[in-house]
Amino acid sequence: MKFCKKYQEYMQGQEGKKLPGLGFKKLKKILKRCRRRDSLHSQKALQAVDNPRACPAHCSVCDGSFFPSLLEEMSAVLGCFNKQAQKLLELHLASGFQKYLMWFKGKLQGNHVALIQEGKDLVTYALINAIAIRKILKKYDKIHLSTQGQAFKSQVQRMHMEILQSPWLCELIAFHINVRETKANSGKGHALFEGCSLVVNDGKPSLSCELFDSIKLDIDLTCSICLDTVFDSVSLTCGHIYCYMCACSAASVTIVDGLKAAEPKEKCPLCREARVFEGAVHLDELNILLSRSCPEYWAERLQTERVERVRQAKEHWESQCRAFMGVE
């Protein structure tokens, strides 16, 4: 079965959930117009094969509609995935009283098994859309004998609109491993998807996930500031993961003020991109996974961080008191 048909059938099966998707068929029709145009200019096409650079950098037939349409649809897919994943993980991590309030408000439906199934469905939704985007961009480059599709993909990654870059996908992978280990200890098994694990090489941990259609994710869990395993981890909007206190230090804010107090000019230590701290995501599922997998390291860091947090809090409130009393 061709992927386009498979994708259409998948999205039709999701109609009840009202999930946005790619207009895969519509985008392929746009590309067909380009192919018909090229067939009318066969001699030019043959020259382009001999010299790919002879192909125009932008196609007048589809550039006006192809990339803008794809970008709008990608944005809708990513926004829906992030919102649904955040909601699911909030339900999973909620305390007993919080779950009661969510049930009272009508937000909590089903049981633990239903949450696991919803997590699996969300990961499938993210992956099949990532594959669809990759295939349609390959099709664009093949028809136009260009690299504009790959350039667009790179641009989307810089805009943080690539669904595989989402911190919520990282959280769902950690959620899967946590659930798998919990169920293994209790003698029950409900897995989201196979091939996901926490891998430690030379003392450096990473999340590894082998997915269908040759997609493989490797997420480094070493903080590039303290050069140790991330503790109380956060993901900046650029996608890089740091310890919370290290991120606060890089953003020139105290832990009392938090990352939302960071100035827009502050940059990610790795990619040097600005405005990445305010929208940082706290990776709670990942923190649970690391605390279970590295209990001795976690206990040691917890003690060290507690001392540092008390020190920073004390300095913060002393400075606030001096400012209130007008004492320098």
Side-chain angles (χ1 to χ4, degrees):
M1 183 188 297
K2 289 187 176 181
F3 180 80
C4 181
K5 187 175 180 182
K6 187 186 294 185
Y7 182 80
Q8 293 296 328
E9 288 182 357
Y10 169 79
M11 291 307 300
Q12 285 172 5
Q14 305 300 312
E15 284 183 356
K17 298 180 181 180
K18 298 181 180 179
L19 298 176
L22 300 180
F24 206 84
K25 213 173 214 179
K26 179 187 72 177
L27 293 171
K28 288 191 75 175
K29 282 183 180 178
I30 294 173
L31 293 181
K32 277 184 180 178
R33 293 204 302 269
C34 301
R35 183 177 285 171
R36 285 197 293 268
R37 180 208 62 174
D38 288 344
S39 67
L40 295 175
H41 302 282
S42 57
Q43 187 61 39
K44 290 183 180 180
L46 288 172
Q47 292 174 357
V49 170
D50 295 332
N51 179 17
R53 293 187 180 182
C55 183
H58 295 282
C59 172
S60 59
V61 175
C62 68
D63 274 9
S65 56
F66 181 83
F67 288 127
S69 295
L70 182 57
L71 187 64
E72 184 178 350
E73 290 165 354
M74 287 175 67
S75 177
V77 168
L78 178 63
C80 176
F81 171 77
N82 286 344
K83 183 178 179 180
Q84 295 289 335
Q86 183 177 4
K87 180 181 177 182
L88 180 144
L89 293 169
E90 283 177 352
L91 291 177
H92 179 243
L93 294 170
S95 65
F97 181 69
Q98 288 175 317
K99 284 186 177 179
Y100 174 78
L101 289 178
M102 289 177 179
W103 172 82
F104 185 75
K105 293 177 180 178
K107 293 182 179 181
L108 188 59
Q109 298 176 356
N111 52 24
H112 192 66
V113 176
L115 286 180
I116 294 171
Q117 183 59 44
E118 188 178 347
K120 180 180 179 179
D121 292 344
L122 276 173
V123 171
T124 302
Y125 173 70
L127 297 182
I128 199 167
N129 277 286
I131 293 168
I133 292 165
R134 184 172 66 176
K135 286 186 178 294
I136 199 70
L137 291 176
K138 277 187 177 180
K139 191 84 172 176
Y140 181 95
D141 283 346
K142 183 178 179 180
I143 289 174
H144 295 87
L145 299 171
S146 73
T147 58
Q148 289 298 314
Q150 291 305 307
F152 173 79
K153 184 178 178 181
S154 299
Q155 180 186 1
V156 165
Q157 289 174 343
R158 289 194 297 271
M159 295 167 65
H160 316 305
M161 291 180 62
E162 167 63 64
I163 199 164
L164 296 181
Q165 291 178 308
S166 171
W168 296 108
L169 183 58
C170 173
E171 278 285 83
L172 281 176
I173 293 172
F175 167 61
H176 157 67
I177 299 173
N178 288 333
V179 167
R180 183 179 63 192
E181 292 179 352
T182 301
K183 293 300 178 181
N185 293 335
S186 64
K188 300 177 182 178
H190 296 286
L192 298 187
F193 45 95
E194 300 303 323
C196 293
S197 58
L198 179 66
V199 179
V200 180
N201 290 321
D202 298 325
K204 302 295 183 182
S206 64
L207 276 182
S208 179
C209 193
E210 295 182 8
L211 310 168
F212 55 82
D213 202 57
S214 303
I215 293 180
K216 184 176 181 180
L217 293 178
D218 286 303
I219 303 171
D220 185 19
L221 300 180
T222 300
C223 176
S224 60
I225 297 176
C226 66
L227 303 180
D228 216 334
T229 301
V230 288
F231 178 85
D232 193 19
S233 55
V234 292
S235 175
L236 307 187
T237 56
C238 59
H240 292 118
I241 299 175
Y242 299 96
C243 305
Y244 179 72
M245 286 192 65
C246 292
C248 286
S249 175
S252 303
V253 296
T254 66
I255 57 169
V256 179
D257 294 325
L259 293 176
K260 290 187 177 181
E263 292 289 336
K265 66 179 181 179
E266 300 297 340
K267 300 177 180 179
C268 169
L270 271 179
C271 63
R272 307 306 299 164
E273 184 175 342
R275 300 177 181 273
V276 294
F277 291 99
E278 187 176 353
V281 175
H282 220 105
L283 304 177
D284 295 316
E285 288 285 351
L286 180 59
N287 291 333
I288 292 171
L289 174 61
L290 290 173
S291 66
R292 289 176 175 175
S293 304
C294 316
E296 294 181 1
Y297 166 76
W298 205 260
E300 182 182 342
R301 280 292 297 263
L302 188 63
Q303 183 63 31
T304 306
E305 296 250 336
R306 184 179 289 118
V307 172
E308 179 62 20
R309 286 172 185 252
V310 169
R311 185 189 68 79
Q312 286 196 28
K314 184 179 178 181
E315 289 181 355
H316 173 80
W317 291 114
E318 284 179 351
S319 66
Q320 291 293 313
C321 288
R322 287 196 298 270
F324 178 76
M325 297 175 67
V327 179
E328 294 293 336

